[in-house]
Amino acid sequence: ILFGLLYLLSPPATSSSRVAFDRAIERGVIHAKKGEYEVAIEAFKVAASAPQSDELDTRLDSLARSYEALARRECERYQSTESANLYFIPNQYFQYTAILNRWPEPEVCK
């Protein structure tokens, strides 16, 4: 009986984990668009800490690829303008990429 009860209670925990994951991704994207990098980083860390699964990993990978492409474009723009004021923009996107890919260190725009 106890095993059956535990089995019945586990699907809601899984779905609540999925809801938390979805909210964290959405919150991260919203704050990244607003330029609120620290809040976006924290939200992406929450999403990346979700248990690995094919579905969640696919979403993380897709978002990471988007931020990586954006980081590379911004890095090229920074390098072409030689503006010391723009380096943090691509580096923030590289930071998002590293978090979403669960990498220990982000790439840096030089």
Side-chain angles (χ1 to χ4, degrees), residues 74-87:
E74 290 297 317
C75 187
E76 287 174 11
R77 188 174 83 157
Y78 159 70
Q79 291 168 339
S80 69
T81 62
E82 298 179 8
S83 172
N85 298 327
L86 296 178
Y87 74 92

Side-chain angles (χ1 to χ4, degrees), residues 37-50:
Y37 300 113
E38 294 304 319
V39 179
I41 286 171
E42 290 308 312
F44 289 145
K45 284 181 180 179
V46 168
S49 70

Side-chain angles (χ1 to χ4, degrees), residues 21 24 42-52 56 60 99-100 102:
F21 173 84
E42 290 308 312
F44 289 145
K45 284 181 180 179
V46 168
S49 70
Q52 292 186 339
L56 300 184
L60 289 173
I99 292 167
L100 295 167
R102 299 177 174 129

Side-chain angles (χ1 to χ4, degrees), residues 25 28-29 44 58-68 96-97 100:
I25 290 288
V29 169
F44 289 145
T58 298
R59 285 198 59 205
L60 289 173
D61 291 344
S62 175
L63 188 56
R65 281 192 304 275
S66 296
Y67 280 120
E68 183 175 17
Y96 300 156
T97 301
L100 295 167

Side-chain angles (χ1 to χ4, degrees), residues 83-95:
S83 172
N85 298 327
L86 296 178
Y87 74 92
F88 68 92
I89 296 171
N91 287 345
Q92 287 297 321
Y93 294 131
F94 280 130
Q95 178 74 28

